[in-house]
Amino acid sequence: MYRYDEFDAGFVRERVALFRDQVQRRIDGSLTEDEFKPLRLKNGVYLQLHAYMLRVAIPYGTLSSVQLRQLALIGERYDRGYGHLTTRQNIQFNWPKLRDVPDILDLLADVEMHCIQTSGNCIRNVTADHFAGVAADEWIDPRPVCELIRQWSTAHPEFSYLPRKFKIAVTGASHDRAVVKAHDIGLRIVRHPDTGAHGFEVSVGGGLGRTPMIGKVIRDFLPQEELLAYLEAVMRVYNLEGRRDNKYKARIKILVHETGTEALKARIEHEFAQLDGPSINADPEELARIAAYFAPPHYEELPAVSARLEAAKSANPVFADWIDTNGFAHKVAGYRAITISLKGIGEIPGDITSAQMRQVADLADRYSLSEIRVSHNQNLILPNVKNDDLFALWQGLVEAGLATANVGLITDIIACPGLDYCALATARSIPIAQAIAKRFADPARQREIGPLNLNISGCINACGHHHVGQIGILGLEKRGQESYQITLGGDPTEQAAIGEIVGPGLTAEAVPDAIERLVEVYLEARQVGETFIDTFRRIGIGPFKLAFQHNLEGADHVA
Amino acid sequence: MSATKRPPLPVILLANHFLDGEVVFWSGQGWSRNPQEAQTASTQAEADVLEEAGRLAFARAEVVDAALIDVSLSADGQPVPNHFRERFKISGPSVRTDLGKQAEFAKDQAKG
Ligand code: HEM
Ligand code: SF4
């Protein structure tokens, strides 16, 4: 894992002291609220419906057990004993008092964490494939690049007042698990077809929110050593030409859309040619220094098949199902990456108690080389578990109430906090997730349905990624009531797609039935080996619309 | 808060406490954490007084996001926000009934 150097540590401490002073000056009246609010936002402090909210960055989703224990402590001492993991690989605390935030920031700094650039019109926390460094289908660990971008972008004076927020995601695997095409800049690490050298496929202009767009590839191959200069060229063009006149048109996706991909690409290439690359790009020694922190840990040489695991699986079918659903192929023989589902049936997606954080930290120490990952699916991952240890790990997770076997299935729902917490929400999202999970609670039925991702957002901002959910649900307000609009066919992967609306908005009560009807259409139409999205692509939205409409008839469901 | 944007009467004054973030209500004497102590304004003149209280408290950094909220009066005379957003705001997360005002003040409500 990356460790702060003296500069990083000093910088983070200085920011904490600065914020402590800013809070004090607001209290004594030397700062007005208009002056103070942007300062608190720069430190990840939002005001929500019931209280302040503190958003802590988890760079590229990697956490140590020590850091997770510190988050547990913060949750317990300064919050209500829990935290919420988000689709941006952050953790949010829902009830901190502003007066305590400087102390919380100091506790975070003790474990090399902070809340900088988790809000505001800057380059936000860089996200990555949650299986970075361990996935069997990965060629290069994206995290050194993420860390490089983090260092380059942190407090970058030129990019601290962008037209709007800016999100970058990186993957180094063949399958995109980082939703790179829904980011302002998406980087895929690729190999040059002729030379075999590593570089990046660069896309720009992806984004969700009120105008969802899939990113456009503007460079098929960018040599890896030229990354920062190229990013700087993109940022510079955006900074100059992005629309500052209208908040809703200020994201780079709108600039790409209005300028046209080819024209914008030419503008960026022109800017890139003007820049003095060597003065911007990281020198190879610095890159090597960073990369060394992400060197693979010491793995034991193990047989690919574990007799102990096989025996435990045949003796315990519930365990076997859990392994098959929550296990993920590791690059190293004898190991597996395990997803800990935070989607217990009827629970709040992404919420984890301080007690559970500690239990997971202990299990990580015992079974996963002390490392934990946070996925954008709002789950945790133990990336380095020996096959031989899986049964003991599972028993520990059962004890912690964290052994739900539903990863990638219909109850592994992504949901934003919605109107239960969020001041921008137009409707609740969590109760919808709970109701759907309960409806599909039967594990056998979930497996029968197969891989299906369902995403819910409580307003058009799309924090729950509903546009790229194979089933997406958007909570709106219609005539003083919560109303839910369902989309189908979204895709967060390398075949990224935005979902299509299937019919009129529904009342909250009507949503589980409607989802059930839509799933039945798929089950009736599917051919051998197809998943939901395969069937949807083959038959199109028509049959789903028909069934949806039919389901509505005679019922008082439309909201 | 401009007079033209004022919601229909009756209204209460709702805000978040600046240092705590907690939802607070103008009681007539000061800020209360208890929704049952919210003062209801039924005339424009009473609403003016609430609005002014919010403005002053904001200037003194006591509260943020002060806003007049239109309410209806329940059978026992308690103000209930007309919009569901504010109903959640004054009770707490519907998915965590152990937290927020709904948990803290439920007993009093039961008492009457
Ligand atoms: C204080 C709470 C939050 C606020 C004020 C907030 C605000 C916003 C806004 C305004 C947008 C739209 C940006 C645009 O279209 O330009 C947005 C997008 C987004 N937010 Fe949030 N959000 C909050 C919580 C969350 C949470 C809890 C998550 C994760 C569960 C999250 C993840 C995202 C993501 C993934 C997007 C869409 C990607 C994009 O930027 O295009 N946000 N948020
Ligand atoms: S999608 Fe809307 S309701 Fe959900 S967290 Fe984002 S801003 Fe809040």
Side-chain angles (χ1 to χ4, degrees):
Chain A
M1 276 189 62
Y2 186 72
R3 298 297 315 263
Y4 281 7
D5 60 17
E6 269 168 48
F7 172 80
D8 298 319
F11 171 74
V12 171
R13 287 290 177 195
E14 247 171 62
R15 278 288 295 261
V16 178
L18 199 63
F19 188 58
R20 195 179 287 282
D21 180 58
Q22 288 159 348
V23 173
Q24 200 47 50
R25 283 191 288 147
R26 176 70 191 114
I27 294 170
D28 72 23
S30 35
L31 289 176
T32 65
E33 184 62 17
D34 286 348
E35 287 163 337
F36 177 73
K37 188 173 167 186
L39 300 172
R40 82 160 149 73
L41 285 170
K42 277 187 182 300
N43 291 282
V45 187
Y46 287 75
L47 183 63
Q48 289 290 63
L49 216 49
H50 313 296
Y52 286 105
M53 179 275 275
L54 182 66
R55 183 180 289 164
V56 182
I58 302 175
Y60 32 88
T62 298
L63 272 177
S64 69
S65 56
V66 173
Q67 291 173 321
L68 187 55
R69 278 194 199 92
Q70 193 79 333
L71 294 173
L73 176 76
I74 291 168
E76 194 172 73
R77 187 180 294 171
Y78 294 108
D79 208 85
R80 305 286 163 93
Y82 70 104
H84 177 75
L85 298 168
T86 80
T87 47
R88 302 249 332 118
Q89 295 180 316
N90 297 310
I91 185 165
Q92 296 186 172
F93 290 106
N94 292 306
W95 305 90
K97 293 179 169 31
L98 180 62
R99 62 170 108 228
D100 292 333
V101 170
D103 292 341
I104 300 175
L105 296 181
D106 262 328
L107 284 177
L108 289 171
D110 289 346
V111 294
E112 307 189 343
M113 295 183 83
H114 61 71
C115 302
I116 298 166
Q117 290 179 205
T118 59
S119 171
N121 296 337
C122 55
I123 299 175
R124 301 287 190 88
N125 186 32
V126 180
T127 52
D129 181 353
H130 39 264
F131 290 124
V134 301
D137 71 331
E138 175 186 279
W139 29 75
I140 297 268
D141 185 342
R143 291 173 302 164
V145 169
C146 295
E147 178 54 32
L148 180 71
I149 298 172
R150 186 178 78 85
Q151 296 191 10
W152 161 80
S153 64
T154 299
H156 194 305
E158 191 177 334
F159 308 133
S160 295
Y161 293 93
L162 295 168
R164 196 83 179 85
K165 58 170 86 166
F166 204 91
K167 299 175 179 176
I168 303 178
V170 193
T171 177
S174 55
H175 287 292
D176 175 9
R177 288 173 289 264
V179 208
V180 301
K181 290 281 166 63
H183 286 74
D184 297 275
I185 292 181
L187 298 173
R188 282 202 323 127
I189 302 177
V190 291
R191 258 193 290 243
H192 194 280
D194 304 329
T195 67
H198 294 126
F200 301 97
E201 178 201 89
V202 183
S203 45
V204 296
L208 302 173
R210 72 178 58 219
T211 321
M213 301 231 182
I214 299 300
K216 313 285 183 302
V217 175
I218 54 165
R219 254 293 185 133
D220 293 318
F221 188 86
L222 175 72
Q224 65 169 348
E225 54 284 359
E226 292 174 28
L227 177 67
L228 293 187
Y230 193 81
L231 291 182
E232 196 141 328
V234 176
M235 299 310 299
R236 216 166 248 198
V237 170
Y238 170 55
N239 212 3
L240 286 169
E241 298 180 13
R243 289 188 54 178
R244 289 173 187 270
D245 60 315
N246 182 339
K247 185 177 160 178
Y248 301 122
K249 299 200 166 168
R251 295 287 290 268
I252 195 172
K253 62 190 172 189
I254 304 294
L255 182 65
V256 175
H257 184 71
E258 288 183 350
T259 314
T261 308
E262 285 310 310
L264 193 74
K265 183 173 156 178
R267 273 290 287 117
I268 291 166
E269 290 294 341
H270 177 77
E271 191 68 38
F272 181 55
Q274 307 288 306
L275 287 173
D276 176 22
S279 74
I280 299 166
N281 289 316
D283 67 56
E285 272 166 45
E286 176 59 9
L287 262 178
R289 185 187 76 83
I290 294 175
Y293 287 107
F294 298 93
H298 175 72
Y299 291 114
E300 291 172 35
E301 261 186 52
L302 298 168
V305 177
S306 153
R308 201 195 293 182
L309 171 61
E310 294 313 317
K313 279 177 79 169
S314 28
N316 193 327
V318 179
F319 167 65
D321 284 342
W322 176 79
I323 282 292
D324 292 343
T325 314
N326 295 28
F328 185 79
H330 201 286
K331 346 179 125 150
V332 178
Y335 285 83
R336 216 169 286 217
I338 290 294
T339 301
I340 300 174
S341 168
L342 299 181
K343 315 293 177 65
I345 303 301
E347 290 177 8
I348 298 176
D351 273 13
I352 179 167
T353 66
S354 288
Q356 289 173 325
M357 289 184 218
R358 291 205 178 92
Q359 282 164 305
V360 171
D362 290 348
L363 292 169
D365 282 342
R366 221 171 308 153
Y367 304 119
S368 182
L369 306 173
S370 300
E371 201 180 309
I372 301 109
R373 305 289 177 80
V374 174
S375 73
H376 81 269
N377 314 67
Q378 302 175 295
N379 289 319
L380 290 176
I381 286 154
L382 297 181
N384 292 306
V385 188
K386 280 190 252 178
N387 283 337
D388 280 352
D389 289 338
L390 285 169
F391 188 65
L393 168 67
W394 178 72
Q395 288 175 310
L397 289 171
V398 169
E399 215 167 285
L402 291 172
T404 309
N406 63 351
V407 171
L409 302 179
I410 190 167
T411 61
D412 183 7
I413 297 170
I414 293 179
C416 80
L419 194 54
D420 283 300
Y421 294 95
C422 178
L424 301 178
T426 40
R428 286 174 296 170
S429 10
I430 298 167
I432 303 298
Q434 292 172 318
I436 295 170
K438 284 185 191 152
R439 180 66 65 92
F440 290 94
D442 176 10
R445 185 172 181 212
Q446 291 184 52
R447 279 194 300 279
E448 159 69 11
I449 294 166
L452 203 171
N453 63 300
L454 195 156
N455 296 44
I456 310 176
S457 306
C459 82
I460 194 72
N461 288 325
C463 303
H465 287 187
H466 66 275
H467 297 297
V468 291
Q470 292 167 358
I471 298 178
I473 303 179
L474 165 63
L476 295 166
E477 178 188 342
K478 282 224 186 102
R479 293 181 292 274
Q481 253 207 83
E482 292 167 295
S483 166
Y484 296 89
Q485 187 179 76
I486 299 179
T487 50
L488 293 179
D491 187 335
T493 71
E494 55 280 6
Q495 284 115 39
I498 305 289
E500 301 169 58
I501 295 175
V502 73
L506 301 178
T507 61
E509 299 70 40
V511 172
D513 275 347
I515 301 298
E516 215 162 13
R517 272 308 296 134
L518 295 170
V519 168
E520 276 163 19
V521 171
Y522 145 67
L523 290 176
E524 281 156 22
R526 89 165 147 190
Q527 295 175 354
V528 179
E530 278 186 343
T531 62
F532 178 86
I533 192 72
D534 299 331
T535 305
F536 178 85
R537 291 218 167 106
R538 182 170 51 78
I539 68 177
I541 199 165
F544 293 95
K545 276 191 166 164
L546 218 64
F548 188 86
Q549 204 57 45
H550 190 71
N551 187 50
L552 290 181
E553 273 157 27
D556 185 21
H557 290 332
V558 183
Chain B
M1 283 186 282
S2 74
T4 49
K5 278 205 211 136
R6 186 177 283 179
L9 296 168
V11 293
I12 60 172
L13 178 63
L14 196 71
N16 290 82
H17 189 269
F18 168 66
L19 277 176
D20 291 347
E22 187 168 346
V23 178
V24 287
F25 308 85
W26 183 254
S27 72
Q29 274 85 52
W31 295 99
S32 169
R33 295 167 50 251
N34 185 348
Q36 289 146 47
E37 291 177 9
Q39 186 182 49
T40 307
S42 312
T43 66
Q44 291 298 347
E46 286 169 1
D48 286 343
V49 175
L50 289 194
E51 198 168 73
E52 181 63 5
R55 206 184 54 73
L56 288 175
F58 177 76
R60 286 195 302 266
E62 283 172 17
V63 300
V64 286
D65 280 14
L68 293 181
I69 302 302
D70 58 308
V71 296
S72 301
L73 297 183
S74 66
D76 57 0
Q78 282 299 312
V80 180
N82 290 333
H83 195 276
F84 59 89
R85 180 181 184 277
E86 278 74 32
R87 287 204 291 274
F88 287 121
K89 182 159 178 149
I90 71 166
S91 43
S94 71
V95 292
R96 287 295 302 266
T97 48
D98 57 324
L99 298 175
K101 313 258 175 228
Q102 57 197 357
E104 197 177 343
F105 297 105
K107 253 193 272 122
D108 300 8
Q109 266 160 7
K111 264 188 265 159

